[in-house]
Amino acid sequence: MPVSEGINLALMLSESGIIDNAVQELMLQQQIIVAAESNPGIKSAMKKQIMKWRGQVQKRMTNVSVEERFHQEIELYQQACQWESEDFLNHIDEVVKQLEGHSAFYFKAKTLLEREHQKHNPMFQSYFCSQWHKYLTLALTEAQQIELEQHKEKLLADLYQRIETMQHMEEVTGSGDPTKAGRLWDMAKAKLTKTDVSTLKSMAHFLKKNSGLKEIAEKLGRMANEVDDPNKERVRSEDLKMVEEQSDNVTDDIVGIHESDDLSKLLPNEAMFLAYPELEVVFYKHLVDKRLLNYKVQGAQRKLRRVKAYKRQTKQVEQEKGPFIVCIDASGSMNGFPEQCAKALAYGLMQIALAEDRDCYVIMFSTQQITYELTKQDGLSEVLNFLSYSFHGGTDLGPVLDQSIQLMLSEKYKNADLIVLSDFIAPSQPDEMMKRIAKLKESKNRFHAVNLSKYGNPELMTIFDHCWSYHPSKFGRLFKWK
């Protein structure tokens, strides 16, 4: 096609306001309004999704004209407009035949041609082409409106599905929290069955019941901002502090008598000099010499003073929080209560990741590795797949540590928190692995462990910055190792 008038037509129509009208209709849907007003996070995420849809639809609609059914007719129209008058009259019969069955303009074109055969009109070509342009514009508008309506129905179905999913999730994760709701909306595309909702409720209940696991998850969420910076030196600084000082001007207590010229604290017998004219001069002499007997008072007054001290410039390092990499031992020895604990803790970390705008990856390991990304667009499907996975096989910690180290060396996993959930019934790691982990720790990556057994290998615990033990027993107890 030459400089395509068809594309220009499509652009003109897509920018004519019909897309903005469709967006306005979407935003005025009662169910959409109620959902948006329920939570600022949902409102923001919903608006972002609709604006993204607007851009995609506008781009799609500009391509309507190059579809086969319009491409051929527009090309034919352009040729007819460019012909000389004589060529136009020679080819017009053939042109009209080509329109039959393909163009809404066919019957109008046939009528115009019959009139031309009956009576020649010198403006026939111009009038014919202008009418053709009008029908093409109408046909394109109709096609775009049909296209737009189809896209709008798909978007509405998706929005209603997300609203329904969010209503279920409120019971499970407390999605009323604005810090979680926005990202949870992005994950809510998956349709939840009754079984799915039941699974999520069961996991949320388990996490709530085992408060020790929730405490570990919350502590892990704060770890990124609790890193001391050894490079910061102690410097001399001055702070304003409120201090108490003893003062004779504060009338808290009378502590004695002294000579002064303060008439407000004058002893009564000193005023007797004023009762006799001949002694009055004595009173004034004592006043000038500051020898009048006064009550002596004393008390404490508070003042702001600058106090000098030496302290570290900043106690903790403020740094961007990276993703969670949760490595879960899926071996057969983790079956039962340890498996539930591992899944519940990962579920709790996912909620923290949503609130802090972090990513959360789960790597299940035994003799092989399976990865789940719990916070991506279809994250709820990933969560449900993860929760339904059954533990089996043996424990092989080396490969999953190796995979995690490779991830943490990349920019995407900078400042990541690696959490290993296992019974740690496994052999110690080689020195080479320990050196690689130590190097990552220098770059502020953090390594954590949650031991779900009494019989874990103590030497393995030395790899990690922080270790917790949560024994999967009826009297489950929580204590921090270091």
Side-chain angles (χ1 to χ4, degrees):
M1 258 172 113
V3 179
S4 175
E5 187 171 349
I7 292 178
N8 290 335
L9 275 170
L11 281 168
M12 177 185 71
L13 291 168
S14 66
E15 294 172 357
S16 65
I18 59 174
I19 297 178
D20 290 330
N21 290 337
V23 169
Q24 190 172 6
E25 287 175 16
L26 285 167
M27 298 297 286
L28 290 175
Q29 295 288 326
Q30 184 63 30
Q31 200 169 346
I32 303 295
I33 292 173
V34 172
E37 294 303 320
S38 68
N39 186 288
I42 292 177
K43 185 176 183 178
S44 175
M46 188 185 293
K47 184 177 179 181
K48 191 183 296 182
Q49 182 183 353
I50 292 175
M51 289 301 104
K52 183 179 179 183
W53 170 86
R54 182 190 183 280
Q56 291 172 340
V57 168
Q58 187 167 20
K59 185 177 180 181
R60 175 69 185 89
M61 287 173 64
T62 59
N63 296 325
V64 170
S65 63
V66 295
E67 292 181 0
E68 191 63 30
R69 62 193 175 112
F70 290 108
H71 178 86
Q72 292 178 356
E73 184 178 355
I74 291 172
E75 192 173 55
L76 191 60
Y77 162 76
Q78 289 176 327
Q79 289 176 359
C81 291
Q82 294 167 4
W83 282 331
E84 295 293 333
S85 182
E86 187 178 344
D87 291 333
F88 181 82
L89 292 173
N90 290 335
H91 293 91
I92 190 60
D93 291 309
E94 183 184 343
V95 168
V96 173
K97 283 182 183 178
Q98 290 185 47
L99 294 177
E100 186 176 6
H102 301 289
S103 172
F105 181 59
Y106 169 70
F107 294 105
K108 180 68 175 178
K110 189 176 178 182
T111 302
L112 292 173
L113 185 58
E114 288 172 356
R115 289 178 185 172
E116 174 63 19
H117 287 325
Q118 293 171 7
K119 184 179 179 180
H120 177 66
N121 183 349
M123 299 297 293
F124 175 64
Q125 181 181 4
S126 176
Y127 183 71
F128 185 92
C129 288
S130 68
Q131 290 296 303
W132 195 355
H133 184 277
K134 179 181 176 182
Y135 274 82
L136 267 175
T137 303
L138 289 172
L140 277 167
T141 302
E142 184 180 352
Q144 287 189 327
Q145 286 175 338
I146 292 171
E147 180 90 6
L148 179 61
E149 196 61 32
Q150 291 172 349
H151 283 292
K152 191 173 78 171
E153 290 301 320
K154 286 181 182 177
L155 177 62
L156 267 177
D158 182 45
L159 291 173
Y160 289 153
Q161 177 59 65
R162 289 175 190 269
I163 291 170
E164 183 183 345
T165 302
M166 290 296 288
Q167 288 171 346
H168 289 309
M169 292 304 293
E170 282 182 9
E171 307 170 30
V172 178
T173 62
S175 61
D177 183 352
T179 57
K180 295 180 185 177
R183 291 195 74 193
L184 195 57
W185 174 269
D186 295 334
M187 295 165 54
K189 188 175 181 179
K191 182 176 176 61
L192 298 182
T193 65
K194 287 185 178 179
T195 303
D196 294 337
V197 175
S198 177
T199 300
L200 292 171
K201 282 184 178 179
S202 175
M203 190 53 60
H205 177 71
F206 182 87
L207 185 61
K208 185 177 180 180
K209 185 178 178 182
N210 291 270
S211 58
L213 292 173
K214 190 174 180 181
E215 289 174 21
I216 294 174
E218 290 172 352
K219 182 62 178 174
L220 285 166
R222 295 191 297 268
M223 284 290 183
N225 283 341
E226 295 184 357
V227 181
D228 286 331
D229 190 348
N231 299 320
K232 295 293 184 183
E233 297 180 355
R234 294 176 66 85
V235 295
R236 189 173 183 177
S237 66
E238 289 187 352
D239 290 328
L240 283 172
K241 287 189 177 180
M242 187 71 73
V243 296
E244 285 191 354
E245 293 182 341
Q246 292 296 323
S247 172
D248 293 340
N249 296 320
V250 180
T251 58
D252 286 349
D253 297 300
I254 297 174
V255 295
I257 296 173
H258 71 129
E259 292 182 343
S260 180
D261 61 350
D262 189 348
L263 296 177
S264 65
K265 300 183 179 68
L266 190 69
L267 263 66
N269 60 324
E270 288 290 293
M272 290 177 64
F273 287 104
L274 297 173
Y276 303 96
E278 59 272 19
L279 296 178
E280 187 176 353
V281 68
V282 177
F283 176 86
Y284 289 117
K285 186 175 187 306
H286 286 177
L287 177 63
V288 171
D289 295 339
K290 297 184 179 182
R291 292 178 56 198
L292 291 174
L293 293 178
N294 280 193
Y295 290 112
K296 186 176 183 180
V297 295
Q298 196 174 76
Q301 72 175 0
R302 294 181 179 181
K303 286 185 178 179
L304 274 175
R305 290 188 60 187
R306 291 188 176 276
V307 179
K308 294 182 179 180
Y310 287 90
K311 64 177 182 179
R312 187 171 290 175
Q313 287 173 299
T314 176
K315 183 181 178 182
Q316 296 175 347
V317 185
E318 289 296 329
Q319 59 182 350
E320 183 181 350
K321 294 182 179 181
F324 289 117
I325 303 174
V326 187
C327 301
I328 298 180
D329 182 357
S331 62
S333 61
M334 288 280 288
N335 270 324
F337 192 75
E339 175 180 341
Q340 286 181 297
C341 289
K343 288 180 176 179
L345 187 53
Y347 186 75
L349 289 171
M350 178 203 75
Q351 294 190 53
I352 291 170
L354 291 175
E356 297 182 351
D357 197 23
R358 303 168 72 176
D359 290 324
C360 185
Y361 302 88
V362 168
I363 304 175
M364 310 285 284
F365 70 93
S366 55
T367 51
Q368 60 179 356
Q369 288 87 45
I370 304 172
T371 303
Y372 300 95
E373 188 176 343
L374 303 188
T375 48
K376 66 178 184 177
Q377 287 290 319
D378 56 345
L380 283 181
S381 298
E382 292 280 278
V383 172
L384 291 165
N385 289 336
F386 157 64
L387 294 178
S388 63
Y389 184 84
S390 298
F391 289 13
H392 58 277
T395 303
D396 195 353
L397 188 58
V400 75
L401 285 176
D402 187 66
Q403 181 183 349
S404 300
I405 288 169
Q406 291 301 320
L407 289 174
M408 294 168 86
L409 289 170
S410 66
E411 185 65 24
K412 184 178 180 181
Y413 292 84
K414 186 179 179 181
N415 295 332
D417 282 275
L418 175 69
I419 304 104
V420 179
L421 311 178
S422 174
D423 55 16
F424 292 97
I425 303 174
S428 302
Q429 294 301 302
D431 291 341
E432 182 60 32
M433 178 71 76
M434 304 288 277
K435 289 177 183 177
R436 293 171 69 194
I437 291 173
K439 190 172 182 181
L440 276 171
K441 288 180 181 179
E442 292 174 4
S443 302
K444 299 186 177 70
N445 289 96
R446 294 163 295 281
F447 289 75
H448 315 282
V450 180
N451 183 11
L452 298 171
S453 168
K454 299 178 186 178
Y455 310 107
N457 182 352
E459 193 173 340
L460 278 176
M461 300 296 105
T462 60
I463 298 175
F464 303 98
D465 298 307
H466 301 90
C467 304
W468 288 269
S469 179
Y470 193 85
H471 294 154
S473 69
K474 155 181 202 184
F475 303 103
R477 52 197 170 85
L478 171 69
F479 61 91
K480 190 175 178 182
W481 286 17
K482 61 179 179 178

